[in-house]
Every structure is written in structure tokens, then in C-alpha cells.
Amino acid sequence: MSTDLTDSRLQSFNPATLELIGSVPEMTEGEVRQAVQRARKTFPSWSALPFHERADQMLAVRDVLMDRARDVGLRISKETGKPLADALVSEVFTSADLIGYYAKHGGRILSDKRVPTGILKTKKAYKTYEPLGVVGIISPWNYPFSLTFSPLVTALFAGNTVVLKGSEFTPLVSEMIAELFAEANVHPGILEVVTGGPATGGYLVSSGLQKIVFTGSTATGKKVMAAAAETLTPVVMELGGKDPMIVCEDADLDRAANAAVWGAFTNCGQVCTSVERVYVTEPVYEEFVEKVVERASEIRIGYEEGGSQFDVGSMTRPQQLATVEEHVADALDKGATVLAGGERRDDLGGHFYEPTVLVGVNHDMKVMSEETFGPLLPIMKVKDEAEAVRMANETRYGLASSVWTTSKSRAHRLVKEINAGGVVINDCLAHFGMPSLPFGGTKESGIGRTHGEEGLLEFVQVKAVLEDRFGPKTELFWYPVPPWLASGLVTAMRLMYRRGLKNKLFPPRR
Ligand code: NAD
């Protein structure tokens, strides 16, 4: 899809057919501020509802989503160019499942928690969680539904109200989210959708939000964070990745090859947790490459509205296709070889590029060092596991990774050695679809988490509560300070906290 910003409207195109499929307004600063104000007005009544009532409303949204699953999948497919099945599996299913997880576990996660009072036996203490206020969500085009819907419902479960801005390349999906909420008849005003490009996103960031959840590129994430710093607005940053896959000599090579091909080419490689580079240990390198090339060459690329005859659709943005071509040209210039694919396919009507397997690659090439976000699968031979780990960690990113081995001890050792927000063993990308697991990155892949307990706790502030239990008229160190307090405290503290002394004075019974 491409956009046209003339007349303050964004036009939306099907990237697989280049047909115009709709348009939305590009909202002004004033319109964004009004949306934030409306969300702020709704916050007291929404946050005052007990958790189970908010959960019930999110389940009502899920009911509508299930009734309209095919329509939603089709809208996603038409605006991104991905096959319908892909949209249903990775966007609609994951979103529905997340609602179920929080409806079941959210009440417990957000309930008050007693904490130990240590030496202060006359006190009671607990933590209580409160919603933040208005949360701003800014999301990308690659999974325009799930990456918007998931932080949206999480923020709402926690009692916040939300203003969201989806990508300017997929605005019709954002509108559909608003339609689902309206059809579910939820508390009015809990969700405001603003449409527009980077400028609209900028207005939202500076509109006095209580939190910003940004999903997008690392470069834009840095700008958003800098702008948020002006108002000390806290952020969750879900950014780019260059996810490694490590294949050890004892791996199930058939499963690993199938996974590499799916993990690199699903959604045309436009996945933050895509298999972006593969390291295979020497003894199985040739066999692995052979299997990957065979499977990659069988992939059916094309677009059929609502149909199932293709595995991989078109890329969503022509700019992304240009990046893919640039990375391939750079790799070929520096000595790499293409074993499958390697060509754009304008003959198919839209922004198509063949699933491409590259070998003879190294870390001087963009394809191994920069996020491609396209259908490329570069494979590199390494001497052993240690070299694979060193290579895997040689990146500014740290979003996800996968390790392939039949040895459990080796797998769990690799988990500890890889610096990333997620490690998947003998599978890939799957952790995003598990709502109980926190999702997010290390290094320049992001800050904070979505999903799981940690993801819900991002949307609340913790309040510390201490209560005196017995109500004496005074405390030991209140005024007037007793003359013996300082010396008595030194002795008492030594007895309590100086290791060894206590044992010497009161030897433990044997
Ligand atoms: P992008 O950074 O270009 O845009 C993301 C969003 O930010 C869009 O809605 C855009 O309008 C908005 N935006 C742009 N400039 C802005 C500004 N100055 N202020 C406020 N908002 C602004 O990213 P993209 O091209 O849409 O998405 C692709 C990137 O997203 C890739 O790098 C990918 O790895 C990353 N991504 C990360 C995750 C994750 O969970 N970590 C998931 C999906 C995609």
C-alpha cells in the first residue's frame, strides 16, 4: 500500500493489486487534542468499574471479533497484501487469545499484594495498583491489527482509556478496531482512534498522556522517546530486531529447515521477530542449506482475495521492497550467492519479491547487520556453538532468537548466553502468540514489555501502603528523641545485621 497525503486525507491501497481501497482524514493537532480530552473525561467512570466488569466488556469485544473474524482478516489482508490465513492466525487468533488470558488472570495480577514487613512487626504493608489515565498507542503496518489491539485491550483491562494511532499505511484496519468496539457496545469513550502519519503521531506524543506504547522502528522510537522526555511521559518501546536462529549439529534438520523458511518468509519477512539470519554449525551446514533451498523454491507467491492458493503475499510498502533490493545488491557486491529467489516480481501486480536464500554471507553485509524486514534468509556457516553465540550477540538489537538442538541442556545453556528479550527452543516466533509470556526486547529492540503479567503491570502505577496495626501514642524515634536512642540503635543493629556477631553471642543449637 502507498499513501497520498493531499487534501489532508490518507488514501489506502491494496499493495498486492495497487487498487485504491479507501481513505481516512489526516487529523490535525486540534483533533488529536480533542480526542485525548474525550478519553480523559471517560477515564474516571471506566477506571471506577470493578475489574470483572471491564473484563466482561473486553469479552464482548471478543464476541464481536469472533462473529466478524473473516471480515477482519479480509480487511487486514487487503490493506497489507498478506494471505487471509496469515491474517487470521497471527492477528485475529492471537488477539482473541490475549483477551481470554487477561480476563482469566488479570484480576489476580492487579489485586493488592501483601508484602513482608521484616523487623517492623507492628506494621502491615501492601502494594496496590492503579490505572494511569490516558494511554497513547502508536503502531506499525506489518501486523496492523494485533500490534494495536494487544496493547489497546491490555490498557483497557487495567482501567485506562486509550487514544490510538495506527500506521498511515493501514488506516482502514484502525478504523475497523473502532467499529468492533462500537458494535460491542462498550463503555462509550474508552477508545479514540486518530488517523494520520508521523505528524499526527507527534501531536499524540505531546498531548499530555500518562503513557505511550510505541511499536515501530528503532529510529522513530528514539524520536518518540526524546519527545516524551519533554513531559516525562513514560514509554514502552517495541522496536526493530535482527533475530538470529542457531542450528546445532544435533538439531532435527527437517523441522529446523521448515521453521527457517516459514520464520523468514511469513508475512513476507515483515515481522519484527522474523528469522533474519541463520548460523549453522559446520557438520550440518550443507544438508541444512539443501533442505532450506528445496522448501523455499516451493513457496507459492501471489495474492487472491480471501483465497488460500498462495503461501506468501506481497510486501506492504514499496519503500520496504527497495530496502530488500538494497540489501541483496550489497550482499552480492560483497561476495554472497543467491540460492533461491532474488528477484522482484512486478509481473504479479503489486509489491512482490521472491523468497530469497543467501549464502556466503558475513557481518560486513547489510543483510547480516541491519534489519531487512523483507523475505530474505541469509545463512552463515559457523565452526561451533560458541561461534554461533558470539555472532548472534554481535548486533545492536535483542528482540528474539531461536535455538535448534535435541539436547535439553545445550538448549538451556544457549538460552542464558543469548542477549535477547525472547529465546525460542526448537520453534520460532511462537512466543508472541503465548499471552502469558512477556514480549519485548533488550538493547535497541526496546524498553518494557507487552503481554503476560509484566505487560499488564506496564499500565498501572504501584502505590505503597503501610498501616500501623496497634496504634501506640508514640514511636521509639518520634519526638522527644530518647537520649539512649543513638547508642541503643547501634548495638541493636549490630546484633540484628552484623553477620557472625549474632552467632558468636547466641551460638545456634547443634
Ligand atoms: P515506523 O517507525 O516508521 O512507524 C511506526 C509508527 O510511528 C507509525 O504509526 C508512524 O506514523 C508513527 N510515527 C512516525 N514518526 C513519528 C513521530 N515522529 N512521532 C510519533 N509517531 C511517529 O515503523 P513502521 O515502518 O511502521 O514499522 C516497521 C518497524 O517496526 C520495524 O523496524 C519493525 O521491526 C518494528 N516492529 C517492532 C515490533 C515489536 O514488537 N518490537 C513489532 C512490529 C514492528
Side-chain angles (χ1 to χ4, degrees):
M1 120 128 229
S2 63
T3 57
D4 176 354
L5 302 185
T6 54
D7 297 324
S8 300
R9 283 194 78 79
L10 289 169
Q11 293 188 322
S12 178
F13 295 86
N14 180 330
T17 62
L18 309 185
E19 270 174 293
L20 178 65
I21 53 174
S23 73
V24 298
E26 172 140 61
M27 290 191 181
T28 62
E29 184 167 8
E31 286 169 312
V32 173
R33 291 199 186 281
Q34 281 165 17
V36 173
Q37 273 165 21
R38 287 194 295 274
R40 193 170 309 292
K41 240 173 119 182
T42 313
F43 173 67
S45 54
W46 177 246
S47 57
L49 291 180
F51 179 83
H52 69 89
E53 284 186 32
R54 293 198 300 265
D56 197 51
Q57 296 200 29
M58 293 304 101
L59 289 167
V61 173
R62 188 171 72 169
D63 289 343
V64 175
L65 176 62
M66 290 302 91
D67 291 346
R68 297 198 51 197
R70 191 177 159 82
D71 294 346
V72 174
L74 275 175
R75 176 84 62 100
I76 298 167
S77 166
K78 274 175 91 162
E79 214 173 22
T80 59
K82 67 180 82 177
L84 173 63
D86 206 346
L88 288 171
V89 171
S90 50
E91 304 229 46
V92 179
F93 163 74
T94 52
S95 302
D97 207 37
L98 184 78
I99 289 192
Y101 169 75
Y102 282 133
K104 188 164 176 198
H105 301 285
R108 171 186 55 79
I109 299 167
L110 296 179
S111 63
D112 293 350
K113 308 276 184 313
R114 284 284 290 268
V115 295
T117 51
I119 194 77
L120 303 175
K121 298 290 180 221
T122 58
K123 316 291 175 194
K124 214 159 82 177
Y126 68 96
K127 301 184 283 186
T128 191
Y129 300 101
E130 296 176 348
L132 303 169
V134 182
V135 170
I137 292 171
I138 299 177
S139 54
W141 45 265
N142 62 326
Y143 287 100
F145 189 82
S146 55
L147 293 175
T148 311
F149 197 82
S150 138
L152 162 64
V153 295
T154 313
L156 292 172
F157 266 111
N160 305 280
T161 53
V162 174
V163 180
L164 77 81
K165 191 202 88 64
S167 169
E168 59 273 34
F169 300 100
T170 49
L172 303 183
V173 172
S174 306
E175 287 201 327
M176 185 146 217
I177 293 175
E179 284 168 31
L180 297 176
F181 272 70
E183 270 180 53
N185 229 347
V186 292
H187 196 86
I190 57 174
L191 165 65
E192 293 283 336
V193 175
V194 296
T195 47
T200 311
Y203 304 143
L204 184 56
V205 169
S206 63
S207 64
L209 303 164
Q210 275 62 57
K211 187 134 197 177
I212 296 162
V213 181
F214 173 83
T215 309
S217 62
T218 297
T220 309
K222 287 179 184 178
K223 286 187 204 160
V224 169
M225 218 174 143
E230 293 293 320
T231 45
L232 274 186
T233 307
V235 293
V236 170
M237 291 276 145
E238 295 287 357
L239 308 176
K242 188 72 191 169
D243 295 354
M245 171 180 195
I246 294 179
V247 183
C248 301
E249 59 280 6
D250 61 350
D252 175 339
L253 288 192
D254 284 311
R255 182 169 168 79
N258 284 331
V261 169
W262 179 76
F265 303 134
T266 184
N267 205 24
C268 229
Q270 302 164 122
V271 189
C272 55
T273 52
S274 195
V275 171
E276 281 249 342
R277 50 200 172 112
V278 184
Y279 302 98
V280 189
T281 57
E282 217 162 356
V284 291
Y285 173 80
E286 299 293 343
E287 193 183 344
F288 178 80
V289 170
E290 202 176 297
K291 286 177 190 290
V292 164
V293 170
E294 190 188 320
R295 286 155 176 81
S297 311
E298 288 165 358
I299 290 176
R300 303 161 303 166
I301 66 168
Y303 178 80
E304 178 199 16
E305 190 174 319
S308 58
Q309 57 170 310
F310 298 110
D311 304 309
V312 171
S314 79
M315 298 195 67
T316 304
R317 298 180 58 197
Q319 295 90 325
Q320 208 59 49
L321 200 152
T323 304
V324 171
E325 290 191 297
E326 183 197 324
H327 284 200
V328 172
D330 174 74
L332 294 180
D333 254 15
K334 293 173 180 161
T337 308
V338 167
L339 293 185
E343 298 293 336
R344 62 187 291 158
R345 292 290 302 275
D346 293 340
D347 58 306
L348 296 174
H351 309 307
F352 289 90
Y353 195 93
E354 291 173 342
T356 298
V357 180
L358 290 144
V359 293
V361 293
N362 61 53
H363 278 208
D364 293 334
M365 299 173 182
K366 290 180 179 176
V367 77
M368 293 298 276
S369 58
E370 293 178 17
E371 184 181 45
T372 307
F373 220 56
L376 303 187
L377 179 52
I379 309 176
M380 186 169 167
K381 179 161 46 177
V382 288
K383 198 165 109 259
D384 53 20
E385 179 191 318
E387 188 180 6
V389 169
R390 191 164 53 75
M391 290 291 174
N393 286 336
E394 196 179 278
T395 170
R396 66 189 177 112
Y397 295 112
L399 191 55
S401 54
S402 67
V403 297
W404 295 81
T405 168
T406 45
S407 155
K408 281 198 189 312
S409 58
R410 184 180 222 179
H412 294 285
R413 185 171 64 234
L414 285 166
V415 164
K416 289 205 181 339
E417 288 171 354
I418 292 174
N419 185 350
V423 185
V424 184
I425 301 169
N426 295 329
D427 206 334
C428 59
L429 279 68
H431 64 309
F432 180 83
M434 186 157 296
S436 49
L437 273 178
F439 180 82
T442 61
K443 299 195 267 183
E444 292 200 18
S445 285
I447 296 172
R449 294 293 180 265
T450 56
H451 299 182
E453 297 200 1
E454 292 80 359
L456 188 56
L457 293 175
E458 290 282 1
F459 291 107
V460 287
Q461 56 203 347
V462 61
K463 190 174 267 176
V465 183
L466 184 143
E467 184 184 346
D468 183 70
R469 292 166 70 195
F470 305 116
K473 295 289 175 225
T474 187
E475 295 277 342
L476 216 54
F477 43 86
W478 287 2
Y479 301 134
V481 176
W484 49 264
L485 182 65
S487 56
L489 200 56
V490 168
T491 310
M493 284 193 301
R494 279 197 188 132
L495 274 174
M496 286 186 300
Y497 304 128
R498 179 65 180 89
R499 285 185 309 163
L501 190 58
K502 197 166 147 194
N503 286 356
K504 219 186 262 173
L505 292 175
F506 308 104
R509 278 197 216 138
R510 306 246 167 231

